[in-house]
Amino acid sequence: MAFLSAMKLQGRPPPISSNLNPSSKPPGSDSVSLNASEPGSERPPRKFSSQLKSWNRARALRSGTKLDRTINNESNSTTAPRRPIGNSNRSDISTLDSDVSSSNGDNETDMTAAKSIYIVSDGTGWTAEHAVNAALGQFDYCLVDRGCPVNTHLFSGIEDGEKLMEIIKQAAREGAMVIYTLADPSMAEAAMRACKLWKIPSLDILGPITESISSHLGTNPSGLPRSTTHSSLNEDYFKIIEAIEFTIKHDDGALPENLEKADIVLVGVSRTGKTPLSTYLAQKGYKVSNVPIVNGVDLPKTLFEIDPRKVFGLMINPVVLQGIREARAKSLGLGSSFRTKYSELSSVKEELELAKRIFAENPTWPVIEVTESAVEETAAVVLRLYNERLSNQAMPSISKSY
């Protein structure tokens, strides 16, 4: 499902005083069971294969959804109340040490408790957050069965040393890991020293890369956050705004006469994630049109007249697509007759077969499998192929699936 983002595991943020302005994001509001049928369902819950069930659980966990899964000894485990960060003195290390030691001595470590990762940045935190999510993707096998649950908390715009120390103190109390991107060398050095002093596992993502590039270029970095070194109202900014406006106006087959003006054209059946993928690409400055494949509806003639190097087909597993359509139809309150035509497996397979025939008739269109890919992953494939094709590399003689 392409519209499922490569999203993040996030739990309840620790209580922090308002002057820190953390950007922790809340988890899903309710616990849900992925295999439970919704109230009022007319049919028993569908049975998934073990592989598909495992994939669904992993995606739900990474998006912040809590699963109703019983963990051994969960009822016996106790969680001590977290101490909020107050306006403590930066040099009050002894107080922190006593807090940490006393909390560690109260109870044995609960191996089922989620571990926290603090992401600290003097900018938006985008770089560190995406790096952490990419790394967490390597532990899906563990996260599926809640063997190693993780909570991530983002603290962005941290440019004051006192705020930085308060966050690190809270990390020490909670036993969290600290990952940071701080452009100011003095701030990064302070974070490193504090984490070392209080024995907090930490990682500086930006520092080593900056030092290597500085050595390679033979010049010193500015030490300023990127937000202060780049004007937001530059040429790239207006290009992105124009791309977003174009993409919104040309969503779901609208204005087919303007397909020639698009940088990228996405083609696929309903609910293959064309719209979220289009929006994501637009935020990178690409004008995107998407064209739906619908039984009984002819595709616009302009689709076959434009440069085929910018056309991409999207394909998805029929069982997964059926589940997405069922959920969509119910959320819209559509009648059972429409749901039958829209989400019955036979209808879904029929539309996908039509899409396959269209792609086979247009062999220069790459076909991208989106079933188990997040939006970012699919976008990366699209942009790689798009750039390769525009660089006049040889085009495939037959349609190739990615």
Side-chain angles (χ1 to χ4, degrees):
M1 294 175 288
F3 63 87
L4 292 173
S5 33
M7 301 197 159
K8 40 194 157 303
L9 288 172
Q10 300 176 23
R12 182 183 62 187
I16 300 173
S17 60
S18 59
N19 64 336
L20 291 183
N21 298 323
S23 305
S24 296
K25 301 178 183 177
S29 57
D30 298 311
S31 296
V32 297
S33 175
L34 292 179
N35 296 323
S37 58
E38 297 187 12
S41 174
E42 299 177 359
R43 301 189 301 179
R46 296 183 298 110
K47 294 184 179 180
F48 294 100
S49 67
S50 59
Q51 181 179 4
L52 183 58
K53 190 183 300 180
S54 175
W55 172 79
N56 279 334
R57 291 175 62 83
R59 290 296 176 189
L61 287 168
R62 293 187 67 187
S63 65
T65 303
K66 294 182 179 179
L67 302 182
D68 289 333
R69 180 180 179 87
T70 303
I71 301 177
N72 294 335
N73 301 325
E74 184 176 2
S75 59
N76 298 328
S77 64
T78 58
T79 302
R82 296 176 181 173
R83 172 178 172 180
I85 295 177
N87 295 322
S88 57
N89 194 309
R90 290 180 57 185
S91 61
D92 188 13
I93 301 174
S94 60
T95 303
L96 172 67
D97 291 339
S98 62
D99 290 343
V100 175
S101 60
S102 62
S103 62
N104 288 342
D106 290 340
N107 299 299
E108 294 183 358
T109 303
D110 183 2
M111 297 304 293
T112 63
K115 294 188 176 182
S116 294
I117 298 176
Y118 281 20
I119 303 171
V120 184
S121 173
D122 51 13
T124 63
W126 188 95
T127 301
E129 188 176 31
H130 280 67
V132 169
N133 287 332
L136 287 175
Q138 299 298 313
F139 300 93
D140 272 353
Y141 70 93
C142 176
L143 301 173
V144 168
D145 294 321
R146 302 295 284 175
C148 52
V150 177
N151 296 331
T152 61
H153 309 291
L154 173 62
F155 300 88
S156 58
I158 305 301
E159 300 180 352
D160 178 77
E162 185 174 353
K163 292 181 179 179
L164 175 63
M165 288 302 111
E166 293 298 323
I167 293 171
I168 294 177
K169 285 180 182 180
Q170 179 67 36
R173 295 187 184 102
E174 192 176 340
M177 179 181 188
V178 176
I179 296 177
Y180 54 93
T181 52
L182 299 168
D184 185 344
S186 63
M187 290 276 286
E189 177 72 11
M192 185 271 292
R193 288 179 177 275
C195 290
K196 184 177 181 180
L197 178 64
W198 295 325
K199 296 180 174 59
I200 303 172
S202 63
L203 177 65
D204 180 3
I205 293 180
L206 187 61
I209 299 175
T210 304
E211 290 177 4
S212 297
I213 294 177
S214 174
S215 177
H216 180 67
L217 298 179
T219 186
N220 294 324
S222 66
L224 299 174
R226 192 171 186 271
S227 58
T228 63
T229 58
H230 290 265
S231 171
S232 59
L233 299 178
N234 54 22
E235 183 178 349
D236 291 338
Y237 172 83
F238 291 108
K239 179 181 178 182
I240 292 173
I241 295 299
E242 183 181 359
I244 292 175
E245 291 177 347
F246 179 93
T247 301
I248 292 174
K249 291 179 180 179
H250 297 80
D251 183 39
D252 201 27
L255 303 176
E257 63 273 15
N258 292 336
L259 287 178
E260 180 63 36
K261 299 178 181 179
D263 298 315
I264 296 173
V265 178
L266 304 175
V267 184
V269 301
S270 173
R271 313 314 299 175
T272 49
K274 297 185 299 298
T275 297
L277 179 57
S278 298
T279 303
Y280 183 88
L281 292 170
Q283 292 174 355
K284 291 185 173 294
Y286 295 91
K287 297 178 181 179
V288 185
S289 292
N290 68 75
V291 179
I293 295 177
V294 183
N295 264 328
V297 179
D298 293 334
L299 292 172
K301 294 181 179 179
T302 50
L303 177 62
F304 307 99
E305 299 170 352
I306 62 175
D307 186 348
R309 293 180 298 176
K310 60 184 181 182
V311 182
F312 297 86
L314 303 180
M315 186 58 66
I316 191 172
N317 179 279
V319 176
V320 174
L321 180 58
Q322 180 193 21
I324 298 172
R325 288 189 173 185
E326 284 182 342
R328 176 64 172 172
K330 290 179 180 179
S331 68
L332 295 176
L334 300 176
S336 58
S337 59
F338 180 86
R339 292 211 306 264
T340 298
K341 182 178 180 182
Y342 181 67
S343 59
E344 277 297 323
L345 187 58
S346 58
S347 299
V348 170
K349 288 183 176 180
E350 185 178 348
E351 280 196 22
L352 290 175
E353 286 300 321
L354 172 61
K356 288 180 181 179
R357 290 196 299 271
I358 292 173
F359 296 152
E361 293 169 359
N362 297 272
T364 57
W365 297 355
V367 180
I368 303 173
E369 173 63 47
V370 302
T371 303
E372 297 189 11
S373 298
V375 172
E376 296 90 343
E377 296 168 334
T378 304
V381 175
V382 170
L383 293 180
R384 174 174 61 82
L385 296 175
Y386 175 77
N387 291 325
E388 288 178 356
R389 295 171 132 223
L390 290 188
S391 63
N392 294 322
Q393 293 189 11
M395 296 178 64
S397 58
I398 58 173
S399 182
K400 185 176 181 180
S401 182
Y402 295 86

